[in-house]
Amino acid sequence: MHELGVVIEVIKTVEDFAKKNGVTKIDTLVLQIGELSSMIPKYVEACYPAAVDGTLLQETKLKIEIMPGNAICKNCNKVFNLIENNNRCPRCGSQDREILSGKEFMIKEIIAC
Amino acid sequence: MSTYKVLEIKQSVFENNDRQANLLREELKKNKTFLLNLMSSPGSGKTTTVLRTIEALKDEMRIGILEADIDSVVDADIVAQTGTKVIQLHTGGMCHLDADMTRQGLSGMGTDGLDFVILENVGNLVCPAEFDTGASKNAMILSVPEGDDKPLKYPLMFSIVDVLLINKMDAIGIFNFNLEAVKERVKKINPNIKIIPITATTGEGIDRWADWLRTEVKKWNGK
């Protein structure tokens, strides 16, 4: 449910972009989803066919790139993956950190023919 | 053979909504209407809190209520009985409101002359947190029976709100709910948040909540 509404929004944005740029056929749509974002790639893929039905993207393939959920430790400056390390700096054990990447949900590009 | 061309879009999916929300916020500011986005789980006491809020503030400002639900007019009916301007929005299965739906609701209701509008969002702690509605301030209710672990489970919601109402305080003896633990957990992810314990059914704590609103509405409307 959550993903479907958002994916429909994505399709609208891409259709607008295509119109403005004179694109009539899109081969592939590339999305970037962060590991820390609330969008689950599996569900995005599952609802994609329903979302594109009857749109310009009906025949368009979907490709998802996963962005790592990385943070920098505020205590010792180590950059580490939050999920692999259970939100804790593997070097000093601190939980005080700043998120560098992984929250994004971006429309990266389209491959037009 | 067709030639393929890669076109970079590089646009955040939420950017479109964020833009709409900022636009709406500017318009509301110009029209001197304060919009409060009220979020919580289903059954936390949003509607009862809204009724108490109307009761506390109706003599000093003109209030409007936007009720958003997946279906039914139950909430709008209850609020309409107070004589307050109310409109029921149906999201048609969607789990949240976005800025565009909020705009439609506001223009359906007509905000001219209204000082303060409460948007009662769909009962959900996940999706509404991600969609800026264009509100002046965001508030959420956590009720005691839901448990004190919710800030750990739904950190995004707790991190984006300006004020947290902890409702059903009269039931704290029945449930294993540690108020101090909640405060600590919430302040960790949102140091500037204001936390107000209330019991909407009895009206306990509503005066503090009304004070907060009064100050914010005045600040926003420049009165």
Side-chain angles (χ1 to χ4, degrees):
Chain A
M1 193 72 76
H2 173 73
E3 273 79 5
L4 181 59
V6 179
V7 174
I8 288 173
E9 191 62 33
V10 168
I11 304 305
K12 275 192 219 154
T13 307
V14 174
E15 277 191 312
D16 278 354
F17 179 88
K19 244 179 246 160
K20 272 183 210 149
N21 291 278
V23 174
T24 50
K25 198 161 180 287
I26 303 170
D27 180 73
T28 308
L29 163 65
V30 186
L31 301 179
Q32 286 180 325
I33 302 181
E35 280 182 324
L36 310 174
S37 112
S38 67
M39 304 304 290
I40 314 292
K42 198 172 85 182
Y43 295 144
V44 172
E45 279 165 4
C47 68
Y48 178 76
V52 294
D53 192 40
T55 72
L56 180 65
L57 284 83
Q58 194 160 308
E59 307 290 326
T60 304
K61 292 188 280 285
L62 173 68
K63 196 175 143 202
I64 296 176
E65 293 178 0
I66 310 287
M67 309 296 281
N70 286 347
I72 182 163
C73 174
K74 282 192 181 172
N75 187 42
C76 74
N77 285 335
K78 181 169 176 59
V79 174
F80 63 101
N81 185 284
L82 284 161
I83 292 171
E84 282 166 17
N85 295 289
N86 205 10
N87 295 328
R88 208 176 272 277
C89 172
R91 187 152 71 191
C92 72
S94 169
Q95 283 191 301
D96 196 10
R97 76 269 165 176
E98 189 182 334
I99 292 173
L100 298 173
S101 69
K103 288 190 132 175
E104 51 282 274
F105 181 29
M106 301 270 294
I107 305 168
K108 188 191 176 197
E109 63 198 17
I110 52 174
I111 301 171
C113 16
Chain B
M1 226 181 85
S2 51
T3 44
Y4 289 83
K5 190 165 63 166
V6 175
L7 295 172
E8 274 202 4
I9 301 183
K10 288 246 183 244
Q11 190 181 339
S12 165
V13 171
F14 299 116
E15 200 178 280
N16 191 29
N17 185 60
D18 289 349
R19 220 179 12 243
Q20 297 284 346
N22 284 331
L23 202 68
L24 181 60
R25 211 171 357 256
E26 278 168 31
E27 288 170 26
L28 288 169
K29 176 95 190 157
K30 225 179 278 165
N31 291 337
K32 296 187 189 297
T33 304
F34 177 89
L35 177 67
L36 178 82
N37 177 21
L38 182 61
M39 298 171 283
S40 81
S41 313
S44 62
K46 276 193 299 300
T47 306
T48 310
T49 306
V50 166
L51 292 175
R52 284 286 175 190
T53 310
I54 294 170
E55 208 177 275
L57 296 171
K58 68 176 180 205
D59 293 334
E60 39 193 301
M61 51 183 92
R62 282 155 299 178
I63 305 174
I65 310 289
L66 284 178
E67 290 286 349
D69 286 293
I70 287 173
D71 205 350
S72 94
V73 289
V74 177
D75 287 351
D77 270 351
I78 298 171
V79 173
Q81 283 167 21
T82 64
T84 308
K85 207 168 183 184
V86 59
I87 198 161
Q88 177 82 50
L89 294 172
H90 283 167
T91 59
M94 287 278 279
C95 46
H96 61 268
L97 275 190
D98 61 22
D100 194 47
M101 288 188 259
T102 306
R103 173 187 292 281
Q104 287 176 31
L106 288 171
S107 61
M109 182 164 72
T111 51
D112 276 354
L114 291 182
D115 304 302
F116 174 36
V117 176
I118 304 177
L119 165 62
E120 193 182 325
N121 213 315
V122 182
N124 181 342
L125 288 185
V126 186
C127 324
E130 288 184 88
F131 289 85
D132 189 344
T133 55
S136 322
K137 290 280 173 187
N138 292 299
M140 76 168 286
I141 304 175
L142 171 69
S143 66
V144 166
E146 291 169 62
D148 54 26
D149 56 356
K150 291 298 164 288
L152 303 173
K153 293 187 174 179
Y154 304 94
L156 183 65
M157 178 60 83
F158 287 87
S159 71
I160 60 135
V161 294
D162 302 289
V163 58
L164 165 67
L165 299 176
I166 301 181
N167 193 21
K168 308 188 188 177
M169 283 300 290
D170 57 342
I172 203 158
I174 306 165
F175 295 92
N176 188 10
F177 186 95
N178 186 334
L179 183 61
E180 288 315 307
V182 169
K183 285 184 180 169
E184 195 185 308
R185 286 165 186 164
V186 173
K187 294 262 182 192
K188 208 168 162 190
I189 42 181
N190 186 348
N192 299 321
I193 196 170
K194 174 134 182 114
I195 301 174
I196 308 175
I198 63 165
T199 302
T201 48
T202 65
E204 186 202 323
I206 293 294
D207 48 345
R208 273 189 70 203
W209 165 234
D211 278 346
W212 183 83
L213 283 169
R214 212 173 270 128
T215 312
E216 294 300 327
V217 172
K218 269 185 197 146
K219 230 189 272 173
W220 182 263
N221 297 354
K223 282 177 191 164

